[in-house]
Amino acid sequence: MAEPKADVLVLGAGMVGVSAALHLQKLGRDVILVDRREYAGEETSYGNAGVIECASVFPYMFPRDVSQIVQYALNRSPAVRYRMSDLADFLPWILRYYLASSPDKAKQSAMSVLPLIRQSLIEHEALIAEAGVPELLRRSGWLKLFRSERSLANAARDAERAGQFGVPSEVLDAKSIAAREPHLTGDFAGAVHFPTPGFIADPGALAKAYAALFFRKGGRFVVADARTLTQEGGGWRVNGASAREVVVALGPWSDLVFRPLGYSFPLGVKRGYHLHLKANGNAVLNHPVLDSDLGYLIAPMNQGIRLCTGAEFARRDAPPRPTQVEQALPRARMLFPLGEAVEAKPWMGARPCLPDMLPVIGQAPRHPGLWFDFGHQHHGLTLGPVSGRLLAEMMTGTTPFADPRPFATGRFG
């Protein structure tokens, strides 16, 4: 059988890669999607909180609060853990992350990604309608709970600041929390409800639905190792397929391709874990709920209540060590009536992050036909379709809907 050829190879069948393939297809490109797994959405795109964060104006930057930094350094924060044995590997990246999180640079990152954040739910809505899976999208928004008056006051100020950019929110007292989530228990100072973000009850299923749409429209899929990528005869080839252009959308594994080609983007990872649990009795959770002061989130997924941890700084491929799940589980049981676990062990994934918390979207400077679309930090689900649109417009010479310069490949020198 002859090896399949196309206009574009997209390496990586997660939310980012599938979305890029769909938008390239929509603009007339013949696309082959390439992944090491047989199905889309099996890696990082499967395990997240399910929130399409169109209200998240400000990226997840390194904190400037001294007490919080001390907690991180002493490994006492439930939201962040690190492995001492891996410290030498990720400490240089942490330093770059800290420097990129100064107030001025954090604001610059926020303003750069704002056009994509504002368009994120709109792009998802269009693809969800076309894919025929409206049942996967819920319009509940999400809740951030706070147990101290200080953290609530800080959150209220942040919400007010986000409101200046058109993000609606409501500060709730204990009575209002109970009205929205009657099965939560605890001593809360208050909460902030963000009503506009969408919630996906099965993120992995959404990636698969988008991939199915891509196939129905004539797209092709090849199981192959992206590390076999070579430049041949004015085009690009992996074992099993070739094309004139290639998009690297491999999330936390993108370095396996860009480093051999001579690029040195400062790509780091924040690992995370989740565990699905049954709800006891007739208990119902209506929103994703972040227990902000205790550093975990619960979300009402189709598979059960998903308990999500904060960030773990460790080598991407180090063995799992779900300490944060073990710490969060008894706290979550006190918040919501959780029953037995659905899975035998927690799932682990890795969030691909650049120090400025902006993705790399654009053309490689030294290799014609090579494009990048990775590094979406905590917002791969949110930004997948909108960054796919931006990339496809750049690749086809269409006027981009947003300024692509903040995401340029050359911004790290």
Side-chain angles (χ1 to χ4, degrees):
M1 181 180 294
E3 181 177 88
K5 297 182 179 181
D7 297 326
V8 184
L9 299 177
V10 175
L11 308 183
M15 179 57 68
V16 171
V18 172
S19 298
L22 276 168
H23 278 286
L24 284 163
Q25 191 180 56
K26 187 176 295 187
L27 292 180
R29 293 292 194 264
D30 179 24
V31 183
I32 294 176
L33 194 57
V34 179
D35 200 273
R36 63 181 178 178
R37 292 181 174 264
E38 293 184 9
Y39 302 101
E42 295 282 289
E43 299 281 4
T44 308
S45 296
Y46 167 72
N48 53 64
V51 180
I52 301 174
E53 253 296 40
C54 58
S56 185
V57 174
F58 304 101
Y60 289 88
M61 309 306 290
F62 199 94
R64 282 303 197 260
D65 182 274
V66 175
S67 63
Q68 197 172 5
I69 293 174
V70 170
Q71 270 198 321
Y72 289 176
L74 296 176
N75 234 2
R76 292 179 180 173
S77 170
V80 175
R81 298 287 295 180
Y82 67 88
R83 295 195 185 192
M84 186 65 71
S85 59
D86 294 342
L87 188 60
D89 292 318
F90 63 77
L91 190 57
W93 187 89
I94 289 284
L95 178 59
R96 295 188 71 161
Y97 183 24
Y98 175 80
L99 294 174
S101 298
S102 68
D104 288 345
K105 291 182 178 179
K107 183 178 180 181
Q108 182 179 340
S109 288
M111 296 304 97
S112 296
V113 79
L114 183 59
L116 275 62
I117 290 290
R118 283 176 169 165
Q119 188 69 17
S120 59
L121 182 56
I122 296 170
E123 295 297 333
H124 268 291
E125 288 173 330
L127 289 180
I128 286 170
E130 197 173 359
V133 287
E135 70 280 2
L136 289 179
L137 175 62
R138 301 180 190 175
R139 303 303 189 118
S140 60
W142 69 306
L143 290 175
K144 288 186 176 182
L145 294 178
F146 299 93
R147 296 175 181 268
S148 76
E149 294 293 344
R150 180 188 177 193
S151 59
L152 176 64
N154 289 337
R157 284 195 296 271
D158 288 345
E160 183 178 357
R161 184 168 56 137
Q164 298 172 9
F165 299 95
V167 176
S169 63
E170 182 181 1
V171 178
L172 308 178
D173 59 17
K175 184 177 180 180
S176 299
I177 294 170
R180 286 167 170 79
E181 291 289 356
H183 292 104
L184 296 184
T185 56
D187 186 14
F188 310 120
V192 178
H193 179 219
F194 294 94
T196 55
F199 172 63
I200 302 299
D202 190 337
L206 184 64
K208 287 177 171 59
Y210 288 175
L213 173 63
F214 170 72
F215 300 145
R216 288 199 300 272
K217 297 173 71 173
R220 290 169 287 168
F221 188 93
V222 169
V223 177
D225 188 339
R227 291 174 296 181
T228 65
L229 181 69
T230 56
Q231 192 173 19
E232 296 184 2
W236 296 88
R237 182 182 180 276
V238 293
N239 287 350
S242 60
R244 291 185 289 105
E245 296 181 287
V246 62
V247 175
V248 178
L250 293 163
W253 298 278
S254 296
D255 62 318
L256 299 178
V257 172
F258 70 66
R259 289 193 188 281
L261 293 171
Y263 297 95
S264 58
F265 302 112
L267 180 66
V269 298
K270 298 181 187 179
R271 304 201 321 178
Y273 300 83
H274 80 230
L275 182 69
H276 291 112
L277 301 110
K278 296 179 181 179
N280 278 332
N282 63 350
V284 175
L285 187 67
N286 298 312
H287 310 75
V289 175
L290 175 67
D291 195 343
S292 301
D293 295 322
L294 297 184
Y296 67 89
L297 179 145
I298 55 175
M301 296 291 179
N302 290 347
Q303 301 96 323
I305 304 299
R306 179 176 287 183
L307 171 64
C308 301
T309 71
E312 179 193 43
F313 289 97
R315 288 180 292 109
R316 179 191 60 208
D317 301 322
R321 190 170 66 182
T323 303
Q324 288 166 294
V325 174
E326 296 164 3
Q327 291 177 333
L329 187 53
R331 297 165 178 168
R333 290 190 188 279
M334 294 178 67
L335 176 68
F336 184 84
L338 295 169
E340 63 185 25
V342 175
E343 304 111 339
K345 60 182 181 179
W347 174 92
M348 185 194 77
R351 308 173 184 97
C353 302
L354 282 306
D356 58 6
M357 293 292 107
L358 298 176
V360 170
I361 306 172
Q363 188 169 17
R366 300 188 302 275
H367 292 79
L370 176 62
W371 296 79
F372 297 120
D373 187 11
F374 64 84
H376 293 72
Q377 42 112 357
H378 297 253
H379 291 326
L381 172 64
T382 297
L383 296 176
V386 73
S387 65
R389 174 182 167 183
L390 181 62
L391 177 77
E393 289 170 346
M394 295 168 68
M395 291 180 67
T396 58
T398 306
T399 301
F401 79 94
D403 185 358
R405 289 175 296 180
F407 318 110
T409 57
R411 72 181 190 268
F412 298 107

